[in-house]
Amino acid sequence: MELHDIWFVLIAVLWTGYFFLEGFDFGVGVLTKLLARNRPEKRVLINTIGPVWDGNEVWLLSAGGATFAAFPEWYATLFSGFYLPLLVILVCLIVRGVAFEYRAKRPEEKWQRNWEAAIFWCSLLPAFLWGVAFGNIVHGVKIDKNLEYVGGLGDLLHPYALLGGLVTLTLFTFHGAVFTALKTVGDIRERARRLALRVGLVTAVVALAFLLWTQADTGNGRSLVALVVAVAALVAALAANQLGREGWSFALSGVTVVAAVATLFLSLFPNVMPSTLDPSWSLTVTNASSSPYTLKIMTWCAGIATPIVLLYQGWTYWVFRKRIGTQHIAEAAH
């Protein structure tokens, strides 16, 4: 296996880790309006991800940086062609981070309500737009012979990409509901489980349609295996949720996210951005990659840094592993 193939796999792993971790972050943000009935319950939801949300975004920074260094042509075409939706995602992530920190700085109800609305919308929009972006990456876009995107914004909003957005939105919301059931106690835990069932059934329908479409369009034997794993894991996650086994349900919903993302990357390889104008103009792991020397240096750096990141993130989740409920929210915070 060549170094550019290895780095395609590593970038796929980074995006998978980001969607696994930030996926339930986005889901919890959406649930602040769908699940929470009052301000203490919203505080509980926010506190379930408060210690970990910013660490989860390290995976996005790593995935973007790795793409820039390992596949500069891919990075340039992707970020120039998808400029507006990626800008919206970036602004949402910034506002969302500010909302987490600023919400409790003042006691006025309007102040807190506005920041809570920001958390909801800035969780919902990225959850949808990431699916649209990856739907276009897998389906292909208008790339000319100079390896540049020549389409417009409207070209990115076709049915396959929009369905991909619905998949990520519903899947992340389901992932977040299961995480909420795992991390809370009392009535909010029970309601999270009931909501997870309803959202999970919707997710199963749209995800199956999207993955089957992907398989029929660009799939292969390896992507078919990942598709079967994704569907089986989602069904098992719903069953575990109904049995009250939140730990197993969360693990299996995580497997669903991992397998679904794997289906996309396995369908994509060896392309990184197919051209819908001419297949010979597609960006591939070969024509979009950096020099072998650059990839070699990056491999050594990744081998040193990755275990450190995994250790400190694992430690963070271990420290903040206990369940919380409204009884743990101080009266002053109400």
Side-chain angles (χ1 to χ4, degrees):
M1 182 179 284
E2 300 290 337
L3 278 176
H4 50 65
D5 297 330
I6 293 173
W7 271 97
F8 178 86
V9 174
L10 290 176
I11 288 172
V13 169
L14 290 171
W15 280 111
T16 302
Y18 173 67
F19 288 139
F20 177 90
L21 296 171
E22 191 82 317
F24 68 76
D25 271 4
F26 289 143
V28 171
V30 172
L31 292 178
T32 56
K33 277 198 178 295
L34 300 184
L35 181 65
R37 292 176 173 173
N38 50 48
R39 183 136 292 117
E41 289 191 353
K42 290 184 179 182
R43 181 66 180 272
V44 168
L45 290 176
I46 294 171
N47 283 4
T48 62
I49 58 174
V52 297
W53 69 267
D54 49 354
N56 294 343
E57 292 188 354
V58 169
W59 290 80
L60 173 61
L61 299 176
S62 299
T67 304
F68 171 77
F71 299 100
E73 287 284 357
W74 184 11
Y75 182 93
T77 303
L78 175 65
F79 280 80
S80 59
F82 295 13
Y83 182 83
L84 184 57
L86 292 178
L87 177 63
V88 172
I89 291 174
L90 178 60
V91 171
C92 283
L93 294 179
I94 293 172
V95 173
R96 184 169 171 266
V98 173
F100 284 135
E101 300 298 330
Y102 275 36
R103 175 193 170 277
K105 297 300 183 184
R106 289 171 57 178
E108 292 89 346
E109 181 177 349
K110 183 178 180 181
W111 171 272
Q112 296 191 1
R113 187 172 62 249
N114 288 339
W115 286 119
E116 288 163 0
I119 290 172
F120 170 75
W121 287 109
C122 292
S123 297
L124 185 147
L125 286 174
F128 177 76
L129 290 175
W130 278 127
V132 173
F134 272 84
N136 278 286
I137 291 173
V138 174
H139 180 268
V141 291
K142 293 181 178 180
I143 298 175
D144 65 9
K145 62 182 179 180
N146 298 316
L147 306 182
E148 295 179 357
Y149 178 69
V150 293
L153 178 62
D155 296 314
L156 303 178
L157 303 177
H158 49 84
Y160 178 80
L162 295 175
L163 181 60
L166 288 177
V167 170
T168 50
L169 176 58
T170 55
L171 180 56
F172 291 168
T173 305
F174 171 69
H175 199 34
V178 173
F179 178 78
T180 299
L182 177 65
K183 287 289 295 179
T184 57
V185 295
D187 181 58
I188 194 170
R189 174 187 178 187
E190 298 302 320
R191 284 189 281 115
R193 284 176 50 199
R194 292 195 294 270
L195 182 61
L197 174 61
R198 295 195 295 271
V199 176
L201 292 174
V202 175
T203 303
V205 174
V206 294
L208 182 60
F210 178 74
L211 294 177
L212 287 176
W213 191 345
T214 303
Q215 183 65 27
D217 193 23
T218 58
N220 50 57
R222 292 168 299 183
S223 63
L224 179 60
V225 172
L227 186 157
V228 172
V229 172
V231 173
L234 180 55
V235 172
L238 286 168
N241 176 73
Q242 285 300 98
L243 295 173
R245 304 296 297 272
E246 289 100 345
W248 278 105
S249 185
F250 177 71
L252 288 164
S253 70
V255 172
T256 304
V257 174
V258 171
V261 177
T263 301
L264 299 183
F265 276 98
L266 289 170
S267 299
L268 185 63
F269 184 83
N271 293 320
V272 294
M273 284 189 75
S275 172
T276 57
L277 300 178
D278 188 331
S280 65
W281 297 343
S282 298
L283 290 171
T284 68
V285 293
T286 304
N287 65 16
S289 69
S290 295
S291 67
Y293 181 75
T294 300
L295 297 178
K296 184 177 180 179
I297 297 298
M298 289 176 60
T299 303
W300 279 104
C301 293
I304 295 171
T306 303
I308 297 174
V309 173
L310 293 175
L311 283 172
Y312 84 69
Q313 279 211 299
W315 178 80
T316 302
Y317 278 94
W318 175 255
V319 169
F320 295 100
R321 66 189 182 277
K322 293 184 178 180
R323 296 176 182 267
I324 61 173
T326 53
Q327 66 269 31
H328 300 118
I329 304 300
E331 286 298 323
H334 292 185

